[in-house]
Every structure is written in C-alpha cells, then in structure tokens.
C-alpha cells in the first residue's frame, strides 16, 4: 500500500532472480567470469576491492559520477548543475536527458504524497526502509559520512532518482551493447593469453614481421570465446515480455487509482518519447563525430524503446533479462 513501494515496484522486476542466476553460473567459483576473463580466479576479489574503495551511493547519481570521473564540471547556470567537458560524449549527453526526466517524474510523485512539513521524517516505514538499506544492506559502509540524509522531500527524491536511474538507464547503457560490441571476440576480447614480446625475446622478430599471428594466438581459446559469446548474447537480449520505462503508466494503471498520479506517469512516458526523438536527431548530426560517420555506429543504447531480441537499444524498468 505504501506509495514509495508502488513507485519502485516496477524497477525491481526479476532483480532477485537475475542475481541468483548470476551467482549460480556467472560470478561463481569456476564460472564464466573466472574461466574467461583476464583476472581469472581473482575476478571477484578485484570487484570486491573496487566496491570497498570506490562505491558510494551518492556517486551513483549520474551528474555526481560524471564530475567524479572528470567528464563534467559543476555549473549552476546549467539545468542539472553540470556542464560536460566533452559535449560529444553520447552516454553522458543522452544520459542527462533521461536522468532529468526521471528526476522530474520522481519529484512530482514525491511532492504529491509528501506535501506536509515533516511528512518524510514522520513516515516510520520509510525511515525504517532507508535505515535497513544502510545498516543491513551495506553494513560494511553503514558509518560512512556520505550517505544522504532522509529528512526532506528533496532528500527522498534524490535517493529515489538514483535508484531508478541505476536499475533502468544505467544498466541498459552498460548491458545491452555487450553482444553488438563484443560478440565478435577480436573486437573486445575478455582476455589475452600471451604477452607482447620484448626485444630480447626469441619470438620478437616474428612478432615484428607478422604481428597479426601473435594477436590471433593471444585471443581466448575457442571454448572461452564460445562461452563469452553465448553469455553476451543472452545478456544483451530483450525478452518478449520486457517491460520498458516508457510503458510505466500502462503497468501501474491497475495499482494506481489517483488521477493526478496517472497524469504524472503519462507525462513521464511522453517525455521519454520526446527524448527518443532528440537522440535520433543527434545520431543524424554529422558534427557529432562520436555517434555518426564512417565506421561509427549511432549511439542508441539510451533510446527508451526496443523490440525483443538483441537490438542494442531500449531501457527496461529493471535489471532483468
């Protein structure tokens, strides 16, 4: 019955299932990652170390992430308070459009339900949910000073925008291009089995004469390559029953009876369709060299819509395959 449950519910579809499947065959000991990626049996240890030293909830927000990585600077004159250092950066340029739409949608939703002063702090279920995320979900980081406070409706909107962005557009941008870009193994090999020879190595002369032979001999084995291709194909595929973010009002119409909330959902859907038109126009702009021209595929990973299959586009509501 809780309004924040209803808001987040579409964005958690199949997430527990996909995590369970990943633990079973992808990131498990001896699984695909350990068998087919450069770090081998240290893969999860490296990922854990990266989480320990780098992961911060507040940095999962797109504007903060771009600033941290040096791809944007703070600029109060810009709508989202950031200015891109490289304007022709498709992920960031399109991502900020999607981020802005999610932010506007969430703020309108939260404003409707938390209009009274102290309504956020007096919501015991909401406060309990946020405390559980910090103190149980991330017990190793529970005392970090960077956790957002949950006092005002602005605090709540920021937290929810980050969650929805991560589960939808951020995952789509990272996930659904895996097979189109890496299905041809020499284009994105997950490991190389040989080092480049030094000048004093016996094989150095042959390397200089025929570097392509060294490259081909260094690629993953046929078994490794086949495994990676199969996994990337599976991960990059939209299922026939995929639920996309632009369909949000259609999915929620049976659980939301309030007319004003339905209007907020419809405005969000319409905004996403506008963004799709904008992205399509950007991909036709010959001045944008990172998304058009000879040998450069259009950047479509953040187009909201998609059909089933491997399409290299489409933003589902949740992390699901």
């Amino acid at each position: 019955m809780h309004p924040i449950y209803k808001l987040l519910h579409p964005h958690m579809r199949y997430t527990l299932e996909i995590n369970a499947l990943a633990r079973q065959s992808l990131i498990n000991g001896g699984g695909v990652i350990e068998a087919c990626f450069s770090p081998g049996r240290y893969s999860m240890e490296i990922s854990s170390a990266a989480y320990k030293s780098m992961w911060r909830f507040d940095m999962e927000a797109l504007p903060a992430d771009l600033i941290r990585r040096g791809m944007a600077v703070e600029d109060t004159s810009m709508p989202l308070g950031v200015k891109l250092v490289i304007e022709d950066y498709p992920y960031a340029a399109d991502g900020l459009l999607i981020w802005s739409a999610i932010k506007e949608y969430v703020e309108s939703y939260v404003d409707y339900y938390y209009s009274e002063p102290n309504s956020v702090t007096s919501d015991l279920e909401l406060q309990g949910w946020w405390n559980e995320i910090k103190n149980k979900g991330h017990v190793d980081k529970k005392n970090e000073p960077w956790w957002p406070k949950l006092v005002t409706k602005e605090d709540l909107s920021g937290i929810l925008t980050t969650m929805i962005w991560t589960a939808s557009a951020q995952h789509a941008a990272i996930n659904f291009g895996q097979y189109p870009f890496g299905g041809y193994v020499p284009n994105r090999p997950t490991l190389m089995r040989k080092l480049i020879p030094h000048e004093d190595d016996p094989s150095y002369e042959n390397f200089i004469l025929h570097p392509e032979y060294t490259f081909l001999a260094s690629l993953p084995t046929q078994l490794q390559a086949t495994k990676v291709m199969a996994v990337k194909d599976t991960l990059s595929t939209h299922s026939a029953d995929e639920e996309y973010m632009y369909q949000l009002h259609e999915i929620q119409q049976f659980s939301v009876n309030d007319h004003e909330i339905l209007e907020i959902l419809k405005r969000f859907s319409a905004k996403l369709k506008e963004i799709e038109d904008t992205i399509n126009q950007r991909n036709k702009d010959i001045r944008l060299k990172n998304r058009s021209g000879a040998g450069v595929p259009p950047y479509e990973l953040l187009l909201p819509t998609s059909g089933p299959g491997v399409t290299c586009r489409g933003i589902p509501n949740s992390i699901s395959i």
Side-chain angles (χ1 to χ4, degrees), residues 34-252:
E34 287 195 1
C36 303
F37 283 66
S38 289
R41 62 192 178 96
Y42 300 105
S43 297
M44 288 307 296
E45 188 175 345
I46 290 172
S47 297
S48 298
Y51 162 78
K52 183 178 180 180
S53 62
M54 296 173 62
W55 188 88
R56 291 175 48 160
F57 181 87
D58 60 330
M59 291 296 165
E60 295 297 298
L62 178 61
D65 172 62
L66 293 172
I67 291 170
R68 177 169 69 167
R69 294 192 291 113
M71 302 307 297
V73 293
E74 292 186 37
D75 186 340
T76 55
S77 68
M78 300 298 285
L80 293 172
V82 295
K83 178 179 174 58
L84 294 180
V85 174
I86 300 172
E87 291 189 12
D88 186 14
Y89 178 14
Y91 162 76
D94 296 354
L96 287 172
L97 293 179
I98 302 291
W99 171 271
S100 178
I102 296 171
K103 182 173 182 285
E104 181 181 327
Y105 157 59
V106 170
E107 286 175 347
S108 298
Y109 188 96
V110 168
D111 279 344
Y112 182 80
Y113 285 108
Y114 292 89
S115 57
E116 298 296 321
N118 304 318
S119 55
V120 171
T121 52
S122 63
D123 187 336
L124 299 182
E125 291 176 321
L126 185 70
Q127 293 296 328
W129 167 79
W130 185 234
N131 286 331
E132 183 177 328
I133 286 171
K134 293 183 294 181
N135 297 321
K136 292 186 178 179
H138 296 277
V139 63
D140 52 334
K141 292 180 178 284
K142 64 180 182 180
N143 295 319
E144 296 288 353
W146 41 255
W147 282 105
K149 305 288 188 236
L150 185 52
V151 177
T152 67
K153 61 184 181 181
E154 289 77 18
D155 296 337
L156 177 58
S157 295
I159 290 166
L160 295 172
T161 300
T162 298
M163 288 180 172
I164 293 173
W165 159 260
T166 303
S168 58
Q170 171 70 0
H171 178 258
I174 292 170
N175 182 70
F176 291 106
Q178 287 187 80
Y179 190 78
F181 285 97
Y184 178 62
V185 175
N187 195 45
R188 290 286 190 277
T190 53
L191 59 78
M192 298 296 278
R193 292 182 293 135
K194 289 186 177 182
L195 298 173
I196 296 175
H198 293 291
E199 291 184 16
D200 55 352
D201 289 338
S203 58
Y204 183 75
E205 186 175 346
N206 286 333
F207 167 66
I208 295 299
L209 290 173
H210 300 287
E212 68 275 17
Y213 294 163
T214 301
F215 173 70
L216 291 172
S218 301
L219 289 171
T221 65
Q222 287 184 334
L223 178 60
Q224 289 170 326
T226 304
K227 279 185 178 180
V228 169
M229 289 171 68
V231 169
K232 286 182 176 178
D233 180 60
T234 300
L235 293 175
S236 301
T237 299
H238 289 293
S239 64
D241 69 337
E242 191 84 272
E243 294 179 356
Y244 296 95
M245 198 157 61
Y246 76 93
Q247 299 171 311
L248 205 54
H249 70 283
E250 299 168 21
I251 295 161
Q252 293 193 328

